[in-house]
């Protein structure tokens, strides 16, 4: 099974392109499910039909659904929350403290992601296309399995000395089950053979700048991006005359310049879609749009690129070079800190602890620089850190 995540800055057309991709895949005879986790729920508008929380067939081999995160929270979270509250109350914490400790940040987004995984496993689909929320929400969504797993580990650690009552044992079992589920989600998201992201943008400098920052943030999370899609290019005026034609030529020239700069700064394929006079609604119009987008290339295999590991090590004389594969913007806010056996990498406010390869854990970083491959750190094997 393949999972394709579509995201981008709000208003760039990611929902339409996600729906078009799913429609094109289904038209080729493969069963496809397209799911929206975007609270705006505009996926139904793209197909011109009504969608619910469970998949419904909108065309031959094509199914669609909306994930209602709020409803999932109301159904799924209260039981575990009550169990955790009982654990902390039993530890002598007052009611207010117990309540605060059981506020799980991002639980609605987490349950939405879990629901996508459930839907993916529950049907006959060969491909699941996910219409994610805007970029910032998607980055938070993809970071949740790791972040919440850490939170639960701290919460569970606080309760280890209280494992006596049946209530506590039940809560511990629930936490363990949730932690295992989170690890499974993380594995799915970071498996490039299964999951990849397609970033949708419009050819404007501000949008492209956000897209490039998103590329670095996704790489830091270990999430694979297989393509960039530039939407709403102004059609070429060709032989047209008059003020409107002059405006179109000027605008298209500006867009082409922006895309040329983007193409030169990333090894990813940049696919383009021209702005249409009529909004594509319904399967037929969406398939026509996908035919322009993919231009005869299979939407699955034609864009597939091998995943690049976040970390790679090579010997350089007596030293070792550790490459952290991050596409970095000029002037980005970058910070590196060694924290025990981990490397804390922060890029433009996005931070992740990356476990160092075992062979480097006893050695010291003596130099760091950025190049086209990302960050390159030099370790001196003769300068061992004392345990």
């Amino acid at each position: 099974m393949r999972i394709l995540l579509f995201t981008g800055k709000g208003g760039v057309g990611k929902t339409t392109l996600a729906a078009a991709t799913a429609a094109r895949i289904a038209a080729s005879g493969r069963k496809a499910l397209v799911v929206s986790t975007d609270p705006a729920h505009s996926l139904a508008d793209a197909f011109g039909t009504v969608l619910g929380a469970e998949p419904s067939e909108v065309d031959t081999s094509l199914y669609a659904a909306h994930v209602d995160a709020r409803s999932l929270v109301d159904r799924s979270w209260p039981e575990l929350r009550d169990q955790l509250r009982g654990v902390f109350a039993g530890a002598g914490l007052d009611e207010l403290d117990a309540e605060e400790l059981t506020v799980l940040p991002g639980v609605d987004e987490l349950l939405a992601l879990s629901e996508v995984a459930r839907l993916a496993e529950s049907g006959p689909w060969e491909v699941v296309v996910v219409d994610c929320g805007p970029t910032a929400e998607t980055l938070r969504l993809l970071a949740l399995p790791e972040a919440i797993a850490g939170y639960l580990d701290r919460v569970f650690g606080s309760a280890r000395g209280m494992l006596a009552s049946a209530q506590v044992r039940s809560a511990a079992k629930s936490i363990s089950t949730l932690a295992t589920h989170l690890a499974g989600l993380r594995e799915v998201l970071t498996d490039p053979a299964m999951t990849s992201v397609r970033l949708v943008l419009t050819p404007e400098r501000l949008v492209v700048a956000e897209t490039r920052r998103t590329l670095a943030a996704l790489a830091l999370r270990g999430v694979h991006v297989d393509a960039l899609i530039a939407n709403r290019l102004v059609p070429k005026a060709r032989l047209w005359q008059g003020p409107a034609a002059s405006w179109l030529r000027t605008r298209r020239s500006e867009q082409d310049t922006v895309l040329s700069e983007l193409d030169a700064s990333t090894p990813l394929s940049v696919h383009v879609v021209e702005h249409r006079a009529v909004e594509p609604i319904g399967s037929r119009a969406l398939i026509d749009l996908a035919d322009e987008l993919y231009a005869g290339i299979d939407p699955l295999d034609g864009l597939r690129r091998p995943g690049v590991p976040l970390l790679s090590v090579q010997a350089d004389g007596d030293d070792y070079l550790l490459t952290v594969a991050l596409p970095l913007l000029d002037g980005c806010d970058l910070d590196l800190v060694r924290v025990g056996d981990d490397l804390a990498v922060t890029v433009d406010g996005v931070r992740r602890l990356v476990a160092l390869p075992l062979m480097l854990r006893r050695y010291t970083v003596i130099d760091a620089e950025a190049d086209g491959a990302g960050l390159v750190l030099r370790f001196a094997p003769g300068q061992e850190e004392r345990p």
Side-chain angles (χ1 to χ4, degrees):
M1 178 188 293
R2 289 287 303 284
I3 299 175
L4 303 178
L5 307 176
F6 279 72
T7 189
K9 189 177 175 64
V12 298
K14 60 180 180 53
T15 298
T16 299
L17 293 173
T21 299
R24 175 70 270 171
I25 292 169
S28 69
R30 293 168 288 190
K31 290 188 182 298
L33 170 67
V34 56
V35 183
S36 175
T37 63
D38 190 339
H41 282 349
S42 54
L43 184 62
D45 300 328
F47 287 112
T49 188
V50 176
L51 297 178
E54 291 298 321
S56 58
E57 191 170 12
V58 297
D59 205 343
T60 304
S61 298
L62 177 61
Y63 299 77
H66 277 148
V67 171
D68 186 350
R70 192 68 261 163
S71 175
L72 290 172
V73 172
D74 292 341
R75 281 201 321 266
S76 306
W77 176 239
E79 180 180 357
L80 179 56
R81 180 184 173 90
D82 289 343
Q83 289 176 337
L84 289 173
R85 189 185 294 116
V87 170
F88 292 116
L93 297 175
D94 61 35
E95 184 175 344
L96 180 60
D97 289 336
E99 182 74 17
E100 289 178 344
L101 282 170
T102 54
V103 175
L104 184 58
V107 66
D108 47 351
E109 292 101 331
L110 173 66
L111 290 174
L113 189 60
S114 299
E115 181 67 1
V116 169
R118 183 190 73 81
L119 291 173
E121 295 171 355
S122 66
W125 359 98
E126 297 172 60
V127 184
V128 176
V129 179
V130 185
D131 169 33
C132 299
T135 306
E137 294 178 11
T138 301
L139 289 174
R140 186 168 63 247
L141 182 76
L142 298 178
L144 279 172
E146 186 174 26
I148 293 180
Y151 169 88
L152 289 176
D153 185 61
R154 292 192 297 273
V155 169
F156 186 58
S158 300
R160 287 187 188 278
M162 304 172 283
L163 299 180
S165 69
Q167 183 182 32
V168 171
R169 287 195 298 272
S170 176
K173 182 178 179 180
S174 297
I175 293 172
S176 178
T177 299
L178 180 55
T180 300
H181 177 64
L182 290 171
L185 281 178
R186 174 71 183 162
E187 184 176 340
V188 167
L189 289 173
T190 57
D191 180 0
M194 178 180 290
T195 304
S196 58
V197 171
R198 293 187 182 169
L199 288 177
V200 181
L201 59 118
T202 50
E204 304 163 47
R205 293 191 183 280
L206 290 178
V207 178
V208 168
E210 177 176 317
T211 299
R212 292 179 64 188
R213 286 192 293 270
T214 302
L215 283 172
L218 289 171
L220 193 57
R221 298 291 179 204
V223 178
H224 180 55
V225 178
D226 65 7
L228 303 175
I229 301 174
N231 193 23
R232 298 176 184 158
L233 265 74
V234 171
K236 291 184 177 180
R238 297 183 175 87
L239 301 178
W240 301 345
Q241 300 297 322
S246 177
W247 183 92
L248 285 172
R249 278 191 285 268
T250 300
R251 183 74 180 112
R252 179 57 183 260
S253 176
E254 182 182 65
Q255 291 181 329
D256 286 342
T257 299
V258 170
L259 290 180
S260 178
E261 293 171 356
L262 175 63
D263 190 60
S265 68
T266 173
L268 291 170
S269 302
V270 181
H271 300 262
V272 299
V273 180
E274 287 193 347
H275 207 316
R276 300 195 165 205
V278 178
E279 188 175 1
I281 296 176
S283 295
R284 184 64 261 167
L286 291 169
I287 290 171
D288 289 343
L289 179 65
D291 287 342
E292 178 187 344
L293 168 60
Y294 295 108
I297 298 174
D298 188 308
L300 291 182
D301 297 327
L303 301 185
R304 204 163 188 174
R305 304 174 68 90
V308 177
L310 181 62
L311 301 182
S312 58
V313 181
Q314 67 180 75
D316 183 30
D318 293 332
D319 296 343
Y320 291 98
L321 298 180
L322 173 69
T323 299
V324 186
L326 293 175
L328 298 172
L329 279 169
D330 293 337
C332 68
D333 185 9
L334 172 66
D335 184 54
L336 298 173
V337 178
R338 177 77 175 267
V339 183
D341 290 338
D342 296 330
L343 186 67
V345 184
T346 305
V347 181
D348 289 329
V350 178
R351 183 175 187 265
R352 185 185 174 194
L353 283 176
V354 180
L356 287 172
L358 187 61
M359 69 174 71
L360 300 180
R361 292 182 180 179
R362 293 179 60 81
Y363 304 121
T364 304
V365 178
I366 61 170
D367 191 20
E369 61 181 23
D371 65 8
L375 294 173
V376 181
L377 286 72
R378 182 175 293 273
F379 286 75
Q383 300 183 32
E384 298 189 2
E385 291 190 342
R386 298 302 179 190

